[in-house]
Amino acid sequence: LGLAQEGQEEKSGKAAVADLVFQKQLWPAVAETVGEIHRRSYLPQRSAVTALFACAYATALIPEALPLLMSEKAAVEEMLAYAEAHARKAIAGSESEVAEETSWSWLYALVFERCWSPGLPHGDAILELSSEALRGSKENSLNHALALTAATTLLAALAPKVESDSDRANLFFVLWKVELRKPSSVVDARFSVSNTESLGDWKRNRLEEYEDLHRVPREGLGRLCEWRDAIALFLLAKWRALAQLAT
């Protein structure tokens, strides 16, 4: 009993330290950026995505961070508004917008997965938009393939949170039926599929793909830089969501 009590005290001590890490160090560093992340359209993309990832990642590393973050209602709504605005561009934007924003679809999906729940704004709009995109045309272009990947990624993050059984069943069949076809313009799996000017060069050992699968619950889905990344991102998002919807 004494050992159990010591263990509980140790756990509560670690939780208190984690609370302090979020409240005293992380949140003060990103609060100003996150608080107006959608309204400040001039904010550099690097600053915006860094703040979004820091908040979303913290909720995985620090269990106590999620209720603390959700208590900042205005900031959370700003994060969701930013994610919605940019997700729209990835799904239904111009050719240049799709190429730019699809690279970050994993991050917008992570924000919705961590911070959205029924009753909060912006999630329902992306649920509807992504569902329509997956039911839509079957054209075989690179732009359509990227938009389809983004739509699948975002729908997969939001669908398991839907409460209605009938809606969940409908979303299950939408995801079940969707297929990603290789665009005729892609002749090499290493073909870059996005605008990488803002991302820089990311040279990694392809074996890291296997490690990426184990980091999804913490860090979100894999990053999209080349065509083979698009296929992996699409399939992982689709089947992960189907498994969640089936349980």
Side-chain angles (χ1 to χ4, degrees), residues 37-70:
I37 195 170
H38 178 56
R39 286 173 287 176
R40 294 167 64 186
S41 57
Y42 55 85
L43 193 70
Q45 186 185 44
R46 242 168 234 254
S47 299
V49 297
T50 299
L52 284 178
F53 183 64
C55 290
Y57 194 19
T59 62
L61 295 180
I62 310 171
E64 295 77 11
L66 182 58
L68 292 172
L69 176 62
M70 297 308 292

Side-chain angles (χ1 to χ4, degrees), residues 134-156:
L134 298 191
R135 293 190 185 101
S137 65
K138 304 296 182 182
E139 62 179 278
N140 188 27
S141 68
L142 179 58
N143 192 70
H144 180 260
L146 291 177
L148 191 68
T149 302
T152 304
T153 302
L154 288 153
L155 183 63

Side-chain angles (χ1 to χ4, degrees), residues 18-219:
D19 273 356
L20 289 174
V21 168
F22 184 82
Q23 288 182 305
K24 302 296 184 183
Q25 297 181 16
L26 177 60
W27 182 245
V30 299
E32 184 177 352
T33 300
V34 170
E36 297 183 340
I37 195 170
H38 178 56
R39 286 173 287 176
R40 294 167 64 186
S41 57
Y42 55 85
L43 193 70
Q45 186 185 44
R46 242 168 234 254
S47 299
V49 297
T50 299
L52 284 178
F53 183 64
C55 290
Y57 194 19
T59 62
L61 295 180
I62 310 171
E64 295 77 11
L66 182 58
L68 292 172
L69 176 62
M70 297 308 292
S71 68
E72 303 287 345
K73 186 177 179 180
V76 169
E77 290 186 1
E78 277 288 300
M79 291 171 61
L80 295 174
Y82 181 94
E84 181 196 349
H86 289 263
R88 283 185 175 278
K89 294 178 182 179
I91 297 171
S94 65
E95 187 172 334
S96 60
E97 287 175 336
V98 170
E100 176 73 24
E101 297 296 346
T102 302
S103 301
W104 298 104
S105 58
W106 65 270
L107 177 58
Y108 309 141
L110 183 63
V111 170
F112 279 119
E113 184 175 333
R114 295 285 181 199
C115 302
W116 184 80
S117 59
L120 290 177
H122 308 294
D124 290 323
I126 294 301
L127 266 170
E128 183 178 352
L129 181 65
S130 55
S131 298
E132 290 177 0
L134 298 191
R135 293 190 185 101
S137 65
K138 304 296 182 182
E139 62 179 278
N140 188 27
S141 68
L142 179 58
N143 192 70
H144 180 260
L146 291 177
L148 191 68
T149 302
T152 304
T153 302
L154 288 153
L155 183 63
L158 291 163
K161 291 176 171 284
V162 173
E163 295 175 339
S164 167
D165 290 339
S166 60
D167 290 342
R168 288 172 66 90
N170 289 332
L171 292 171
F172 181 95
F173 282 110
V174 169
L175 284 166
W176 175 269
K177 292 179 180 179
V178 68
E179 295 179 352
L180 181 63
R181 299 180 181 181
K182 183 178 179 181
S184 56
S185 59
V186 176
V187 295
D188 187 339
R190 293 166 295 179
F191 182 86
S192 179
V193 297
S194 60
N195 181 3
T196 58
E197 291 181 2
S198 62
L199 299 177
D201 294 327
W202 185 19
K203 297 180 180 179
R204 58 173 175 159
N205 187 326
R206 300 307 297 189
L207 291 177
E208 289 182 17
E209 291 175 349
Y210 298 101
E211 298 176 8
D212 288 347
L213 297 177
H214 299 288
R215 292 197 289 261
V216 170
R218 299 193 310 274
E219 301 178 22

